[in-house]
Amino acid sequence: MAPPFLWGAATAGHQVEGNNIASDLWLLEQVPGTTFLAPSGDACDSLHRWREDIAIVRALGLNAYRFSVEWSRVEPTKGQFSPAWLDHYAGIVARLRAQDIAPVVTLSHFTSPRWFAAAGGWQQAEAPALFARFVARVARRMGRAVSHAITFNEPNLPLMNQWTATPIADAGRRSLDAMLAAAAAACGSDRFDVWVYSHGTALAHLLAGHRAARLAWKAEAPNTQLGMSLAVPDAQGDATGITAYRAVAEAPFLAAAREDDFIGVQTYGRLLFADDRTLAPPANAELTQAGDEFYPAALGHALSHVHATSGLPVLVTENGIAAANDEQRARYIPAALSGLDRARADGVPVIGYIHWSLLDNFEWRRGYSQQFGLVAVDRQTFRRTVKPSARVYAEQIRRRA
Ligand code: BGC
């Protein structure tokens, strides 16, 4: 019997847990000259409220939950692993299984331990082996109960950002470099490398890290489906621009994924290409809270493109919008899902759809200014309130059952 289609919602450790204090980003949020709008702080306090989060997933009728294991908790000091934190994450996996919810586990969602960044992050030759060692520990402790594992979340993001209409321009680059230098100084190091804010130079090590992590995981838990998640906007406009973009921001990753079980597809909209850059959204376009074009059709296009290029099954590991007005999200979901339906009808093997995000959470350098959640979170009490768009999503799933 074919496995059931996965309907899920996603979070990431640093964005929801709170107090991820041994991580590289926590330090970046605190240093003088930080470019973060706000520190992550308690985030959604999911560190303590994860059972409540799972209960919401269950109440919405979802059968998958994506979350990440924070490397900096499991290995807060180089070589010192924490059985207690491994137990914590294994507990989440076990509870999901007990409720018939497939655990989809991300192993690197933008954050790394502070010690790793202070030693040069993914620039280090040793990085792939260090990451694989952590991954092996996670797999040994809980791997056999994990349905899908994702090595990296959007390792192609810095490369994609080189094309976007609002590239990290010179001034932005200088402030990022100053923030990284301040973090290095705080650690008494001459470096502090965080790949998501770097210049894309860690690519070879990231790809080697993916392969090493796959081997490490599969040695412990061969039945988990494993892949990496890529940022895959729909690409339209000048064909030369699109080809150049894909050669840099997609091809190396798809090549490294050849032996994976699936590709994670994360789509938020479309990029409109001129020959060597992307253009701002059309003047009359409806925008999201993040200032991006509201373009739900991007998802179906991205799925067809990734499958046609890679030959692999695809799993939507993120799709959604930032919307202060939940009515916009409620319109977005059915529209995006009808594109997904079309891709499936065209024969694209889609494993599942995991919405970003379950909760309104810490949106990285934009602090708490963007609402991607199906569920609102009170910033003082952490009380969760299910939004109407979540009910729309649940209804869409029921209709397809
Ligand atoms: C990331 C998420 C982020 C979302 C919205 C994705 O690139 O994986 O962590 O919150 O986009 O910006």
PDB file of all heavy atoms in Angstrom, residues 11-12 15 66 109-110 153-154 157 160 231 266 268 290 292 318 320-322 356-357 361-364 366 370 372, ligand 1:
ATOM      1  N   THR A  11       7.765  23.916  11.885  1.00  0.00           N
ATOM      2  CA  THR A  11       8.430  24.920  12.723  1.00  0.00           C
ATOM      3  C   THR A  11       9.937  24.667  12.596  1.00  0.00           C
ATOM      4  O   THR A  11      10.350  23.708  11.949  1.00  0.00           O
ATOM      5  CB  THR A  11       8.049  24.790  14.213  1.00  0.00           C
ATOM      6  OG1 THR A  11       8.393  23.471  14.657  1.00  0.00           O
ATOM      7  CG2 THR A  11       6.571  25.044  14.454  1.00  0.00           C
ATOM      8  N   ALA A  12      10.731  25.522  13.236  1.00  0.00           N
ATOM      9  CA  ALA A  12      12.177  25.277  13.335  1.00  0.00           C
ATOM     10  C   ALA A  12      12.589  25.656  14.744  1.00  0.00           C
ATOM     11  O   ALA A  12      12.073  26.631  15.308  1.00  0.00           O
ATOM     12  CB  ALA A  12      12.938  26.115  12.325  1.00  0.00           C
ATOM     13  N   GLN A  15      13.317  29.194  15.951  1.00  0.00           N
ATOM     14  CA  GLN A  15      12.214  30.126  15.738  1.00  0.00           C
ATOM     15  C   GLN A  15      11.077  29.953  16.739  1.00  0.00           C
ATOM     16  O   GLN A  15      10.259  30.855  16.899  1.00  0.00           O
ATOM     17  CB  GLN A  15      11.673  29.974  14.308  1.00  0.00           C
ATOM     18  CG  GLN A  15      12.681  30.438  13.264  1.00  0.00           C
ATOM     19  CD  GLN A  15      12.176  30.257  11.840  1.00  0.00           C
ATOM     20  OE1 GLN A  15      12.331  29.184  11.271  1.00  0.00           O
ATOM     21  NE2 GLN A  15      11.580  31.281  11.264  1.00  0.00           N
ATOM     22  N   ARG A  66       6.725  18.908  11.038  1.00  0.00           N
ATOM     23  CA  ARG A  66       8.147  19.129  10.785  1.00  0.00           C
ATOM     24  C   ARG A  66       8.701  20.039  11.867  1.00  0.00           C
ATOM     25  O   ARG A  66       8.145  21.110  12.130  1.00  0.00           O
ATOM     26  CB  ARG A  66       8.344  19.773   9.402  1.00  0.00           C
ATOM     27  CG  ARG A  66       9.790  20.103   9.124  1.00  0.00           C
ATOM     28  CD  ARG A  66      10.016  20.813   7.790  1.00  0.00           C
ATOM     29  NE  ARG A  66      11.413  21.213   7.724  1.00  0.00           N
ATOM     30  CZ  ARG A  66      11.880  22.262   7.056  1.00  0.00           C
ATOM     31  NH1 ARG A  66      11.059  23.029   6.349  1.00  0.00           N
ATOM     32  NH2 ARG A  66      13.167  22.560   7.088  1.00  0.00           N
ATOM     33  N   HIS A 109      18.605  23.804  10.545  1.00  0.00           N
ATOM     34  CA  HIS A 109      17.707  24.857  10.056  1.00  0.00           C
ATOM     35  C   HIS A 109      18.339  26.210  10.386  1.00  0.00           C
ATOM     36  O   HIS A 109      17.970  26.876  11.349  1.00  0.00           O
ATOM     37  CB  HIS A 109      16.312  24.730  10.661  1.00  0.00           C
ATOM     38  CG  HIS A 109      15.261  25.498   9.897  1.00  0.00           C
ATOM     39  ND1 HIS A 109      14.114  24.936   9.383  1.00  0.00           N
ATOM     40  CD2 HIS A 109      15.210  26.803   9.532  1.00  0.00           C
ATOM     41  CE1 HIS A 109      13.401  25.864   8.749  1.00  0.00           C
ATOM     42  NE2 HIS A 109      14.048  27.011   8.836  1.00  0.00           N
ATOM     43  N   PHE A 110      19.360  26.560   9.635  1.00  0.00           N
ATOM     44  CA  PHE A 110      20.084  27.845   9.698  1.00  0.00           C
ATOM     45  C   PHE A 110      21.018  27.992  10.903  1.00  0.00           C
ATOM     46  O   PHE A 110      21.969  28.751  10.836  1.00  0.00           O
ATOM     47  CB  PHE A 110      19.134  29.049   9.669  1.00  0.00           C
ATOM     48  CG  PHE A 110      18.356  29.222   8.378  1.00  0.00           C
ATOM     49  CD1 PHE A 110      17.203  29.992   8.351  1.00  0.00           C
ATOM     50  CD2 PHE A 110      18.777  28.633   7.194  1.00  0.00           C
ATOM     51  CE1 PHE A 110      16.476  30.171   7.173  1.00  0.00           C
ATOM     52  CE2 PHE A 110      18.063  28.802   6.011  1.00  0.00           C
ATOM     53  CZ  PHE A 110      16.908  29.575   6.014  1.00  0.00           C
ATOM     54  N   ASN A 153      18.210  22.908   5.693  1.00  0.00           N
ATOM     55  CA  ASN A 153      17.146  23.780   5.246  1.00  0.00           C
ATOM     56  C   ASN A 153      17.731  24.874   4.354  1.00  0.00           C
ATOM     57  O   ASN A 153      18.549  25.684   4.820  1.00  0.00           O
ATOM     58  CB  ASN A 153      16.466  24.436   6.457  1.00  0.00           C
ATOM     59  CG  ASN A 153      15.297  25.320   6.036  1.00  0.00           C
ATOM     60  OD1 ASN A 153      14.257  24.818   5.631  1.00  0.00           O
ATOM     61  ND2 ASN A 153      15.464  26.636   6.103  1.00  0.00           N
ATOM     62  N   GLU A 154      17.353  24.865   3.105  1.00  0.00           N
ATOM     63  CA  GLU A 154      17.715  25.924   2.150  1.00  0.00           C
ATOM     64  C   GLU A 154      19.202  26.265   2.117  1.00  0.00           C
ATOM     65  O   GLU A 154      19.579  27.441   2.263  1.00  0.00           O
ATOM     66  CB  GLU A 154      16.898  27.196   2.414  1.00  0.00           C
ATOM     67  CG  GLU A 154      15.399  26.968   2.254  1.00  0.00           C
ATOM     68  CD  GLU A 154      14.576  28.251   2.338  1.00  0.00           C
ATOM     69  OE1 GLU A 154      15.107  29.296   2.748  1.00  0.00           O
ATOM     70  OE2 GLU A 154      13.389  28.188   1.981  1.00  0.00           O
ATOM     71  N   LEU A 157      20.113  29.240  -0.107  1.00  0.00           N
ATOM     72  CA  LEU A 157      19.535  30.577   0.116  1.00  0.00           C
ATOM     73  C   LEU A 157      20.510  31.733  -0.170  1.00  0.00           C
ATOM     74  O   LEU A 157      20.144  32.680  -0.869  1.00  0.00           O
ATOM     75  CB  LEU A 157      18.978  30.672   1.546  1.00  0.00           C
ATOM     76  CG  LEU A 157      18.197  31.936   1.854  1.00  0.00           C
ATOM     77  CD1 LEU A 157      16.927  32.034   1.004  1.00  0.00           C
ATOM     78  CD2 LEU A 157      17.817  31.990   3.330  1.00  0.00           C
ATOM     79  N   MET A 160      20.652  32.148  -3.847  1.00  0.00           N
ATOM     80  CA  MET A 160      19.427  32.737  -4.377  1.00  0.00           C
ATOM     81  C   MET A 160      19.394  34.245  -4.102  1.00  0.00           C
ATOM     82  O   MET A 160      19.024  35.038  -4.966  1.00  0.00           O
ATOM     83  CB  MET A 160      18.213  32.064  -3.736  1.00  0.00           C
ATOM     84  CG  MET A 160      16.898  32.619  -4.239  1.00  0.00           C
ATOM     85  SD  MET A 160      15.505  31.837  -3.407  1.00  0.00           S
ATOM     86  CE  MET A 160      14.931  33.188  -2.431  1.00  0.00           C
ATOM     87  N   ALA A 231      15.288  26.197  -1.369  1.00  0.00           N
ATOM     88  CA  ALA A 231      14.440  27.336  -1.713  1.00  0.00           C
ATOM     89  C   ALA A 231      14.228  27.269  -3.217  1.00  0.00           C
ATOM     90  O   ALA A 231      15.185  27.355  -3.988  1.00  0.00           O
ATOM     91  CB  ALA A 231      15.136  28.639  -1.327  1.00  0.00           C
ATOM     92  N   GLN A 266      10.645  24.333  -1.131  1.00  0.00           N
ATOM     93  CA  GLN A 266      10.150  25.443  -0.311  1.00  0.00           C
ATOM     94  C   GLN A 266       9.907  26.638  -1.229  1.00  0.00           C
ATOM     95  O   GLN A 266      10.838  27.215  -1.763  1.00  0.00           O
ATOM     96  CB  GLN A 266      11.157  25.759   0.797  1.00  0.00           C
ATOM     97  CG  GLN A 266      11.609  24.456   1.475  1.00  0.00           C
ATOM     98  CD  GLN A 266      12.098  24.594   2.899  1.00  0.00           C
ATOM     99  OE1 GLN A 266      11.910  23.659   3.668  1.00  0.00           O
ATOM    100  NE2 GLN A 266      12.708  25.700   3.276  1.00  0.00           N
ATOM    101  N   TYR A 268       7.823  30.271  -1.936  1.00  0.00           N
ATOM    102  CA  TYR A 268       7.073  31.406  -1.383  1.00  0.00           C
ATOM    103  C   TYR A 268       6.548  32.343  -2.456  1.00  0.00           C
ATOM    104  O   TYR A 268       5.817  33.273  -2.159  1.00  0.00           O
ATOM    105  CB  TYR A 268       7.945  32.171  -0.381  1.00  0.00           C
ATOM    106  CG  TYR A 268       8.088  31.389   0.916  1.00  0.00           C
ATOM    107  CD1 TYR A 268       9.120  30.476   1.091  1.00  0.00           C
ATOM    108  CD2 TYR A 268       7.148  31.527   1.927  1.00  0.00           C
ATOM    109  CE1 TYR A 268       9.227  29.732   2.268  1.00  0.00           C
ATOM    110  CE2 TYR A 268       7.243  30.789   3.103  1.00  0.00           C
ATOM    111  CZ  TYR A 268       8.284  29.892   3.263  1.00  0.00           C
ATOM    112  OH  TYR A 268       8.365  29.162   4.422  1.00  0.00           O
ATOM    113  N   ALA A 290       5.348  40.680   3.849  1.00  0.00           N
ATOM    114  CA  ALA A 290       6.802  40.780   3.666  1.00  0.00           C
ATOM    115  C   ALA A 290       7.157  41.630   2.449  1.00  0.00           C
ATOM    116  O   ALA A 290       8.336  41.814   2.142  1.00  0.00           O
ATOM    117  CB  ALA A 290       7.392  39.375   3.533  1.00  0.00           C
ATOM    118  N   ASP A 292       6.433  40.780  -0.589  1.00  0.00           N
ATOM    119  CA  ASP A 292       6.585  39.908  -1.752  1.00  0.00           C
ATOM    120  C   ASP A 292       5.260  39.849  -2.508  1.00  0.00           C
ATOM    121  O   ASP A 292       4.202  40.118  -1.948  1.00  0.00           O
ATOM    122  CB  ASP A 292       6.961  38.485  -1.312  1.00  0.00           C
ATOM    123  CG  ASP A 292       8.250  38.468  -0.513  1.00  0.00           C
ATOM    124  OD1 ASP A 292       9.160  39.244  -0.863  1.00  0.00           O
ATOM    125  OD2 ASP A 292       8.330  37.701   0.471  1.00  0.00           O
ATOM    126  N   GLU A 318       8.012  23.517   2.872  1.00  0.00           N
ATOM    127  CA  GLU A 318       7.530  24.833   3.307  1.00  0.00           C
ATOM    128  C   GLU A 318       6.763  25.478   2.165  1.00  0.00           C
ATOM    129  O   GLU A 318       7.175  25.391   1.002  1.00  0.00           O
ATOM    130  CB  GLU A 318       8.671  25.785   3.700  1.00  0.00           C
ATOM    131  CG  GLU A 318       9.312  25.482   5.021  1.00  0.00           C
ATOM    132  CD  GLU A 318      10.375  26.506   5.413  1.00  0.00           C
ATOM    133  OE1 GLU A 318      10.303  27.666   4.955  1.00  0.00           O
ATOM    134  OE2 GLU A 318      11.276  26.131   6.175  1.00  0.00           O
ATOM    135  N   GLY A 320       3.911  29.080   2.181  1.00  0.00           N
ATOM    136  CA  GLY A 320       3.041  29.921   2.994  1.00  0.00           C
ATOM    137  C   GLY A 320       3.283  31.380   2.682  1.00  0.00           C
ATOM    138  O   GLY A 320       3.974  31.712   1.713  1.00  0.00           O
ATOM    139  N   ILE A 321       2.695  32.242   3.492  1.00  0.00           N
ATOM    140  CA  ILE A 321       2.945  33.678   3.322  1.00  0.00           C
ATOM    141  C   ILE A 321       2.993  34.378   4.681  1.00  0.00           C
ATOM    142  O   ILE A 321       2.379  33.926   5.652  1.00  0.00           O
ATOM    143  CB  ILE A 321       1.867  34.409   2.467  1.00  0.00           C
ATOM    144  CG1 ILE A 321       0.449  34.204   3.024  1.00  0.00           C
ATOM    145  CG2 ILE A 321       1.953  34.022   1.027  1.00  0.00           C
ATOM    146  CD1 ILE A 321      -0.571  35.161   2.399  1.00  0.00           C
ATOM    147  N   ALA A 322       3.685  35.505   4.682  1.00  0.00           N
ATOM    148  CA  ALA A 322       3.593  36.415   5.820  1.00  0.00           C
ATOM    149  C   ALA A 322       2.332  37.240   5.601  1.00  0.00           C
ATOM    150  O   ALA A 322       2.182  37.870   4.544  1.00  0.00           O
ATOM    151  CB  ALA A 322       4.812  37.324   5.863  1.00  0.00           C
ATOM    152  N   TRP A 356       4.242  26.261   6.007  1.00  0.00           N
ATOM    153  CA  TRP A 356       5.016  27.133   6.881  1.00  0.00           C
ATOM    154  C   TRP A 356       4.147  28.320   7.229  1.00  0.00           C
ATOM    155  O   TRP A 356       3.767  29.056   6.334  1.00  0.00           O
ATOM    156  CB  TRP A 356       6.315  27.612   6.209  1.00  0.00           C
ATOM    157  CG  TRP A 356       7.103  28.421   7.188  1.00  0.00           C
ATOM    158  CD1 TRP A 356       7.048  29.763   7.396  1.00  0.00           C
ATOM    159  CD2 TRP A 356       8.052  27.910   8.152  1.00  0.00           C
ATOM    160  NE1 TRP A 356       7.873  30.139   8.426  1.00  0.00           N
ATOM    161  CE2 TRP A 356       8.495  29.019   8.894  1.00  0.00           C
ATOM    162  CE3 TRP A 356       8.535  26.634   8.457  1.00  0.00           C
ATOM    163  CZ2 TRP A 356       9.432  28.883   9.933  1.00  0.00           C
ATOM    164  CZ3 TRP A 356       9.456  26.514   9.474  1.00  0.00           C
ATOM    165  CH2 TRP A 356       9.893  27.630  10.198  1.00  0.00           C
ATOM    166  N   SER A 357       3.806  28.477   8.503  1.00  0.00           N
ATOM    167  CA  SER A 357       4.325  27.749   9.631  1.00  0.00           C
ATOM    168  C   SER A 357       3.169  27.370  10.542  1.00  0.00           C
ATOM    169  O   SER A 357       2.071  27.926  10.438  1.00  0.00           O
ATOM    170  CB  SER A 357       5.313  28.661  10.376  1.00  0.00           C
ATOM    171  OG  SER A 357       5.756  28.054  11.576  1.00  0.00           O
ATOM    172  N   ASN A 361       6.066  33.051  14.558  1.00  0.00           N
ATOM    173  CA  ASN A 361       7.307  32.789  15.291  1.00  0.00           C
ATOM    174  C   ASN A 361       8.394  33.795  14.978  1.00  0.00           C
ATOM    175  O   ASN A 361       8.137  34.836  14.354  1.00  0.00           O
ATOM    176  CB  ASN A 361       7.752  31.341  15.037  1.00  0.00           C
ATOM    177  CG  ASN A 361       8.016  31.071  13.565  1.00  0.00           C
ATOM    178  OD1 ASN A 361       8.552  31.934  12.861  1.00  0.00           O
ATOM    179  ND2 ASN A 361       7.639  29.894  13.089  1.00  0.00           N
ATOM    180  N   PHE A 362       9.598  33.490  15.426  1.00  0.00           N
ATOM    181  CA  PHE A 362      10.744  34.394  15.267  1.00  0.00           C
ATOM    182  C   PHE A 362      11.217  34.355  13.819  1.00  0.00           C
ATOM    183  O   PHE A 362      11.750  33.342  13.371  1.00  0.00           O
ATOM    184  CB  PHE A 362      11.865  33.941  16.213  1.00  0.00           C
ATOM    185  CG  PHE A 362      13.107  34.797  16.136  1.00  0.00           C
ATOM    186  CD1 PHE A 362      13.086  36.120  16.550  1.00  0.00           C
ATOM    187  CD2 PHE A 362      14.300  34.265  15.643  1.00  0.00           C
ATOM    188  CE1 PHE A 362      14.233  36.903  16.480  1.00  0.00           C
ATOM    189  CE2 PHE A 362      15.451  35.047  15.583  1.00  0.00           C
ATOM    190  CZ  PHE A 362      15.410  36.366  15.998  1.00  0.00           C
ATOM    191  N   GLU A 363      11.014  35.445  13.109  1.00  0.00           N
ATOM    192  CA  GLU A 363      11.321  35.468  11.682  1.00  0.00           C
ATOM    193  C   GLU A 363      12.734  36.043  11.462  1.00  0.00           C
ATOM    194  O   GLU A 363      12.935  37.046  10.818  1.00  0.00           O
ATOM    195  CB  GLU A 363      10.223  36.249  10.942  1.00  0.00           C
ATOM    196  CG  GLU A 363      10.341  36.352   9.444  1.00  0.00           C
ATOM    197  CD  GLU A 363      10.543  35.048   8.680  1.00  0.00           C
ATOM    198  OE1 GLU A 363      10.153  33.973   9.171  1.00  0.00           O
ATOM    199  OE2 GLU A 363      11.110  35.125   7.590  1.00  0.00           O
ATOM    200  N   TRP A 364      13.718  35.409  12.091  1.00  0.00           N
ATOM    201  CA  TRP A 364      15.137  35.728  11.902  1.00  0.00           C
ATOM    202  C   TRP A 364      15.408  37.222  12.063  1.00  0.00           C
ATOM    203  O   TRP A 364      14.981  37.789  13.058  1.00  0.00           O
ATOM    204  CB  TRP A 364      15.598  35.184  10.541  1.00  0.00           C
ATOM    205  CG  TRP A 364      15.220  33.722  10.376  1.00  0.00           C
ATOM    206  CD1 TRP A 364      14.306  33.211   9.497  1.00  0.00           C
ATOM    207  CD2 TRP A 364      15.700  32.585  11.140  1.00  0.00           C
ATOM    208  NE1 TRP A 364      14.206  31.849   9.657  1.00  0.00           N
ATOM    209  CE2 TRP A 364      15.044  31.437  10.640  1.00  0.00           C
ATOM    210  CE3 TRP A 364      16.628  32.432  12.174  1.00  0.00           C
ATOM    211  CZ2 TRP A 364      15.278  30.154  11.142  1.00  0.00           C
ATOM    212  CZ3 TRP A 364      16.861  31.152  12.674  1.00  0.00           C
ATOM    213  CH2 TRP A 364      16.198  30.043  12.160  1.00  0.00           C
ATOM    214  N   ARG A 366      14.141  39.703  10.929  1.00  0.00           N
ATOM    215  CA  ARG A 366      12.946  40.547  11.013  1.00  0.00           C
ATOM    216  C   ARG A 366      12.203  40.386  12.339  1.00  0.00           C
ATOM    217  O   ARG A 366      11.067  40.859  12.490  1.00  0.00           O
ATOM    218  CB  ARG A 366      12.019  40.263   9.822  1.00  0.00           C
ATOM    219  CG  ARG A 366      12.648  40.739   8.497  1.00  0.00           C
ATOM    220  CD  ARG A 366      11.773  40.476   7.298  1.00  0.00           C
ATOM    221  NE  ARG A 366      11.693  39.065   6.981  1.00  0.00           N
ATOM    222  CZ  ARG A 366      11.134  38.569   5.873  1.00  0.00           C
ATOM    223  NH1 ARG A 366      10.607  39.388   4.983  1.00  0.00           N
ATOM    224  NH2 ARG A 366      11.100  37.280   5.658  1.00  0.00           N
ATOM    225  N   GLN A 370       6.707  39.546  11.410  1.00  0.00           N
ATOM    226  CA  GLN A 370       5.993  38.895  10.309  1.00  0.00           C
ATOM    227  C   GLN A 370       5.174  37.719  10.849  1.00  0.00           C
ATOM    228  O   GLN A 370       5.675  36.950  11.661  1.00  0.00           O
ATOM    229  CB  GLN A 370       6.989  38.331   9.292  1.00  0.00           C
ATOM    230  CG  GLN A 370       8.061  39.305   8.857  1.00  0.00           C
ATOM    231  CD  GLN A 370       7.556  40.275   7.809  1.00  0.00           C
ATOM    232  OE1 GLN A 370       7.034  39.842   6.791  1.00  0.00           O
ATOM    233  NE2 GLN A 370       7.703  41.556   8.057  1.00  0.00           N
ATOM    234  N   PHE A 372       3.645  34.334   9.865  1.00  0.00           N
ATOM    235  CA  PHE A 372       3.527  33.218   8.922  1.00  0.00           C
ATOM    236  C   PHE A 372       2.627  32.108   9.468  1.00  0.00           C
ATOM    237  O   PHE A 372       2.434  31.092   8.807  1.00  0.00           O
ATOM    238  CB  PHE A 372       4.908  32.605   8.630  1.00  0.00           C
ATOM    239  CG  PHE A 372       5.721  33.346   7.584  1.00  0.00           C
ATOM    240  CD1 PHE A 372       6.593  34.356   7.947  1.00  0.00           C
ATOM    241  CD2 PHE A 372       5.623  33.002   6.244  1.00  0.00           C
ATOM    242  CE1 PHE A 372       7.354  35.020   6.986  1.00  0.00           C
ATOM    243  CE2 PHE A 372       6.376  33.651   5.280  1.00  0.00           C
ATOM    244  CZ  PHE A 372       7.246  34.672   5.649  1.00  0.00           C
TER     245      PHE A 372
HETATM  246  C1  BGC B   1      12.836  29.504   6.146  1.00  0.00           C
HETATM  247  C2  BGC B   1      12.000  29.765   7.371  1.00  0.00           C
HETATM  248  C3  BGC B   1      11.455  31.169   7.316  1.00  0.00           C
HETATM  249  C4  BGC B   1      10.581  31.280   6.091  1.00  0.00           C
HETATM  250  C5  BGC B   1       9.886  32.612   5.938  1.00  0.00           C
HETATM  251  C6  BGC B   1      12.212  30.002   4.860  1.00  0.00           C
HETATM  252  O1  BGC B   1      13.220  30.441   4.035  1.00  0.00           O
HETATM  253  O2  BGC B   1      13.166  28.156   6.048  1.00  0.00           O
HETATM  254  O3  BGC B   1      12.817  29.556   8.501  1.00  0.00           O
HETATM  255  O4  BGC B   1      10.777  31.529   8.472  1.00  0.00           O
HETATM  256  O5  BGC B   1      11.366  31.082   4.955  1.00  0.00           O
HETATM  257  O6  BGC B   1      10.761  33.642   5.663  1.00  0.00           O
END
